[in-house]
Amino acid sequence: MTDTTQQVAGATLAPVWLPPAGDPNELVPAMWAHDVERGGHGELTVSGVPVSELRAQFGTPLFVMSEDDFRARARMFKDAFDNAFADICGGVDVYYAGKAFLCTEVARWVDSEGLRLDTCSGGELAVAKRAGLLGENLGLHGNNKSDAEINRALDMNLGRIVVDSLHELKRVAALATARNATANVMLRVTPGVHAHTHESIATAHEDQKFGLSLLSEDPDAPGMAAAEAASQLAVEAESINFLGFHAHIGSQIFEAEGFGIAARKLLAFTHEIQTRHGITLPELDLGGGYGIAYTAVDTPRPAAEVAAAMADVVRETCAELGMACPRISIEPGRAIVGSTTFTLYETGTLKTVQVEVDGQPDVTAPRRYVSVDGGMSDNARPVLYEADYSAVVANRASAAAPALSRVVGKHCESGDIVVRDVYLPNDVAAGDLLAVPGTGAYCWALASNYNYVPRPPVVALKNGAARLIVRGETEDDLLARDLGA
Ligand code: PLP
């Protein structure tokens, strides 16, 4: 800034995507669990329980999850896809993607709502086992599974191991042969669809680590695309029960188009392999990735609409190819758990800075920094993916004017941002409660102990009652693995 800088009325640091400041007390329904509302004095309640009670009982930061909302979204996905695909393949198997959020309780909710569980590590399988889920209702993913993980999947007689490479297929076949067992296998392929989402969560284009290419050769099987070579081995290996193909094109996707293109390519490839080997592959997994609302500008399409659009493509493609449709499965994670949860923080240090406005030399505008008692250790997504979130003051409604604010954490990084741009009432004070919605997926799951900060608890709300489903970490937990005297 120079001596000539000045504040100009209307100048703002707000990014172009952020809608103009409205009522900062408003709860945009798409971003919240259906049982979150403002009660007396405008205080947020979940299933009728005020956030001040949750703070008193469980402290902050706190992941606040609505069990009713989770179950409702799980049923909604299952019903939407079952209805859309009923005439094509008799319905759809919905595998909840546990990587989004998993604990024993949630695994049981998933099971009791008639969904199955998609895991991607031995640890997630351990949770499923503790929850008492049947192996036949579980899938295992991973681009680099260990022998221990594959053996655990075989011990539990998993419904499907989704194999990621020719090398891995050979290992699965050998481990199954060694115990005289059969492994139920799907092959993950990359249909070349580049989902329009953040690079780190687009997973089906050629140039990334997951899956078997439909185009490139595997060095161990020259002369064939990797997916063709793996298919041949899956057909020939006696210890492999080859179920079909899988693809996951990426995450936080709003349009059904990408899913449709992937479905077309997968069906065509299934048809080609069936014809070549004279087999019928009974299943086809179209992955997850359905987007949710993190801010007011995110407008996800209802599950029923996406399901209907995908079913149209599948119906049409199967008719064109003259093939019976395999049983379809999908793997939504964030679309089930994301909006069920908000993170409750307490505010602390506040400051306002004057910053030069982009493209307007010598003009400055204010930005308010609101520090909270968590941060990148309980929500890494803003740092990892530049993910945007929203926030509201939760312990009261405010009549104060909105101020462009940045919610930041307590960690020793200037990039420790929880909400980059949001309008909060300008009377936010230390000791207020702040709620950040849409933190059900990939927040607790990605949490760390950076700066020796304990990971927060998770509380589930149902029928007006709150109960801990994951306790918070203590300092003893933090020190438990440190072997120093
Ligand atoms: N299936 C697979 C193979 C994935 O890798 C993921 C996410 O990374 C999912 C499903 C779930 O994605 P989402 O939570 O976006 O639905």
Side-chain angles (χ1 to χ4, degrees):
M1 269 192 280
T2 66
D3 290 347
T4 56
T5 54
Q6 51 176 317
Q7 291 180 52
V8 173
T12 176
L13 300 171
V16 283
W17 67 264
L18 189 70
D23 174 5
N25 301 301
E26 186 191 353
L27 302 179
V28 176
M31 296 186 324
W32 297 88
H34 70 265
D35 48 3
V36 174
E37 55 193 15
R38 286 201 184 269
H41 309 292
E43 179 174 359
L44 233 59
T45 66
V46 198
S47 191
V49 180
V51 286
S52 54
E53 272 181 33
L54 296 175
R55 164 171 43 188
Q57 209 178 336
F58 305 108
T60 56
L62 178 66
F63 286 100
V64 182
M65 179 179 286
S66 163
E67 178 177 346
D68 285 332
D69 197 68
F70 184 102
R71 288 178 178 276
R73 287 176 201 271
R75 280 195 299 274
M76 197 244 305
F77 250 86
K78 174 90 180 111
D79 292 349
F81 277 82
D82 260 349
N83 291 338
F85 283 84
D87 66 311
I88 310 176
C89 54
V92 166
D93 296 320
V94 180
Y95 285 75
Y96 166 68
K99 69 202 72 174
F101 178 91
L102 190 63
C103 66
T104 312
E105 264 300 301
V106 162
R108 290 186 181 134
W109 302 347
V110 165
D111 193 47
S112 70
E113 295 301 337
L115 277 68
R116 301 180 181 198
L117 183 67
D118 156 32
T119 66
C120 66
S121 69
E124 289 186 359
L125 280 178
V127 177
K129 189 171 176 187
R130 180 190 270 194
L133 270 55
L134 294 177
E136 65 196 49
N137 291 331
L138 303 176
L140 175 66
H141 271 288
N143 68 304
N144 192 22
K145 301 173 191 71
S146 65
D147 282 2
E149 287 171 324
I150 295 167
N151 274 323
R152 180 170 230 160
L154 293 170
D155 284 344
M156 292 171 74
N157 201 12
L158 243 58
R160 55 175 62 171
I161 301 174
V162 185
V163 168
D164 222 80
S165 67
L166 183 58
H167 173 251
E168 185 177 274
L169 183 62
K170 289 179 182 169
R171 289 171 50 232
V172 171
L175 290 167
T177 301
R179 55 169 63 207
N180 205 15
T182 305
N184 300 313
V185 160
M186 300 194 82
L187 297 180
R188 178 169 181 168
V189 300
T190 47
V193 179
H194 196 150
H196 295 289
T197 184
H198 190 279
E199 197 61 30
S200 308
I201 49 176
T203 52
H205 52 297
E206 197 65 11
D207 194 7
Q208 46 77 40
K209 70 174 183 171
F210 293 107
L212 288 144
S213 174
L214 296 178
L215 303 172
S216 308
E217 292 175 8
D218 186 292
D220 284 348
M224 261 192 278
E228 291 177 297
S231 300
Q232 182 165 325
L233 178 59
V235 171
E236 288 168 359
E238 281 186 12
S239 60
I240 299 292
N241 175 28
F242 184 18
L243 297 173
F245 296 105
H246 166 285
H248 170 75
I249 61 171
S251 281
Q252 188 57 359
I253 297 166
F254 290 136
E255 294 307 322
E257 198 192 351
F259 297 118
I261 297 170
R264 244 179 217 291
K265 291 200 176 187
L266 284 175
L267 284 164
F269 190 61
T270 300
H271 184 251
E272 190 183 320
I273 294 298
Q274 290 189 156
T275 310
R276 187 182 303 175
H277 296 286
I279 54 168
T280 301
L281 295 170
E283 306 210 25
L284 179 66
D285 191 325
L286 299 177
Y290 311 95
I292 63 165
Y294 287 106
T295 71
V297 296
D298 292 331
T299 51
R301 296 172 68 185
E305 241 179 65
V306 179
M310 287 170 67
D312 285 346
V313 173
V314 169
R315 191 182 294 107
E316 202 179 283
T317 311
C318 286
E320 277 166 23
L321 294 167
M323 67 185 276
C325 183
R327 173 87 177 173
I328 299 287
S329 44
I330 57 165
E331 297 169 339
R334 127 190 18 235
I336 290 178
V337 70
S339 308
T340 66
T341 301
F342 62 83
T343 310
L344 191 66
Y345 297 105
E346 184 174 315
T347 57
T349 302
L350 300 155
K351 74 169 187 176
T352 301
V353 291
Q354 291 294 330
V355 179
E356 215 164 72
V357 176
D358 247 5
Q360 289 180 261
D362 302 334
V363 175
T364 65
R367 185 186 324 277
R368 195 138 204 259
Y369 276 84
V370 178
S371 299
V372 294
D373 52 355
M376 62 192 286
S377 58
D378 57 69
N379 189 353
R381 293 188 69 255
V383 181
L384 273 181
Y385 315 135
E386 293 164 18
D388 286 309
Y389 281 87
S390 183
V392 296
V393 172
N395 50 314
R396 61 188 172 93
S398 166
L404 184 69
S405 305
R406 177 161 288 176
V407 180
V408 293
K410 61 179 285 173
H411 294 280
C412 295
E413 304 267 339
S414 54
D416 174 25
I417 291 168
V418 179
V419 185
R420 190 171 297 275
D421 296 290
V422 61
Y423 288 103
L424 291 173
N426 69 11
D427 65 351
V428 174
D432 270 330
L433 291 175
L434 216 63
V436 175
T439 57
Y442 307 107
C443 291
W444 184 86
L446 280 165
S448 75
N449 288 131
Y450 182 45
N451 296 149
Y452 273 75
V453 170
R455 280 171 288 196
V458 184
V459 64
L461 280 294
K462 189 184 176 194
N463 298 334
R467 84 198 146 103
L468 271 191
I469 58 172
V470 183
R471 74 162 170 81
E473 278 175 327
T474 61
E475 272 182 15
D476 284 345
D477 290 327
L478 293 180
L479 293 171
R481 289 179 303 128
D482 182 334
L483 300 181

